[in-house]
Amino acid sequence: MIRFAVIAAGEGSRLKQEGIVPDKPMVCIHGEPLLHRLVRIFSLAGASEVDIIVNAHMPEVIAYMPTLEQEFKEKLTIRYLVKSTPSSMHSFHAMAPLLTEGPFCLTTVDTIFREEDFLPYIHTFMNSSHDGMMAVTDYIDDEKPLYVGTDAGMKITGFYDERQEDTHYISGGIYCLRPNALDTLDKCISSGQSRMRNFQRQLVADRLNLQAYAFPKILDIDHASDIAKAESFLSLPS
């Protein structure tokens, strides 16, 4: 059994500046809110529980949570935490007590991928012995991509801000992990780190067995123009 977790606590300031009115988790792709889309896909992947952290300054999202719980109540349990945090890593740390009992899959609310690419990823992780399996892609449409170093067998050797000889992929922002990764997370928070990429680097430094899993394409919704890109991507035949 695997849990699923969503970081939906970012402010979405760039979207707001570009005239997008809804809070980021409520931005729609083909008429479906980003948060709903993830929960639906997790349900298809066999989730029995989804944990979500929501920004305390997003009343629209907070008000939507009972509706989401009601819609999926026959399929899974939704637990949500309302808390404003200074970074995605802090949001992850706030949810960590909910993720100690077994493997989990964590992503941010604005990550866009094909459903048919996601289900084999979860299956592959659950049938592996890896401490973590990180979604990666060779599609680069990010202002500050995190490059992922891999060996010939797709074992992760490092995470880099600049392209290296062994970096054929970038991070897709989807992380399948086992609870031992939470010890590394505690270490990062205690040392004052605040970026998810530094957490990933520390996982390598702590010698966790990390595997890369390649998706053909993963997008983030950071700008208004990304909404149209996501809709176009998801409309194309697989």
Side-chain angles (χ1 to χ4, degrees), residues 8-223:
E11 295 180 355
S13 56
R14 285 174 290 188
L15 289 172
K16 296 288 187 185
Q17 291 168 3
E18 295 171 10
I20 302 301
V21 174
D23 294 327
K24 182 183 275 192
M26 301 302 295
V27 169
C28 288
I29 302 297
H30 290 311
E32 182 178 28
L34 290 170
L35 185 54
H36 184 282
R37 180 175 189 271
L38 283 178
V39 174
R40 176 177 58 78
I41 293 173
F42 294 162
S43 174
L44 294 173
S48 61
E49 179 179 298
V50 179
D51 300 315
I52 303 168
I53 183 167
V54 177
N55 193 312
H57 300 294
M58 291 183 175
E60 179 186 12
V61 182
I62 296 169
Y64 177 64
M65 296 308 298
T67 300
L68 198 64
E69 288 180 297
Q70 181 67 22
E71 179 172 348
F72 288 95
K73 69 178 183 179
E74 301 298 330
K75 300 178 180 178
L76 53 83
T77 298
I78 293 176
R79 297 191 294 180
Y80 65 95
L81 172 65
V82 178
K83 186 175 183 179
S84 298
T85 63
S87 72
S88 293
M89 186 194 289
H90 285 84
S91 293
F92 179 20
H93 192 252
M95 282 198 295
L98 304 176
L99 303 172
T100 60
E101 297 179 10
F104 60 90
C105 178
L106 171 77
T107 187
T108 53
V109 75
D110 63 336
T111 304
I112 300 294
F113 48 84
R114 289 187 184 278
E115 297 172 32
E116 54 266 40
D117 296 329
F118 184 75
L119 302 184
Y121 164 60
I122 296 298
H123 179 79
T124 301
F125 172 65
M126 291 301 292
N127 285 279
S128 78
S129 59
H130 301 299
D131 295 314
M133 186 169 288
M134 310 312 219
V136 300
T137 181
D138 59 7
Y139 175 79
I140 303 176
D141 183 31
D142 197 303
E143 296 167 351
K144 295 181 179 179
L146 178 63
Y147 293 93
V148 183
T150 57
D151 67 12
M154 292 293 279
K155 180 178 179 179
I156 294 175
T157 56
F159 295 93
Y160 309 96
D161 292 329
E162 304 292 337
R163 188 187 293 274
Q164 311 290 314
E165 286 188 5
D166 63 344
T167 54
H168 307 293
Y169 302 99
I170 65 169
S171 174
I174 312 171
Y175 321 100
C176 278
L177 297 165
R178 301 191 191 277
N180 58 334
L182 299 176
D183 294 334
T184 297
L185 178 62
D186 286 339
K187 182 187 298 185
C188 289
I189 292 294
S190 296
S191 64
Q193 298 183 61
S194 61
R195 303 187 72 189
M196 285 296 291
R197 61 182 56 196
N198 291 332
F199 164 68
Q200 294 177 78
R201 291 184 178 114
Q202 190 62 50
L203 290 173
V204 175
D206 287 349
R207 299 185 181 277
L208 271 70
N209 181 6
L210 302 181
Q211 189 79 359
Y213 184 97
F215 280 59
K217 193 173 184 178
I218 299 175
L219 305 175
D220 289 334
I221 306 296
D222 292 322
H223 297 280

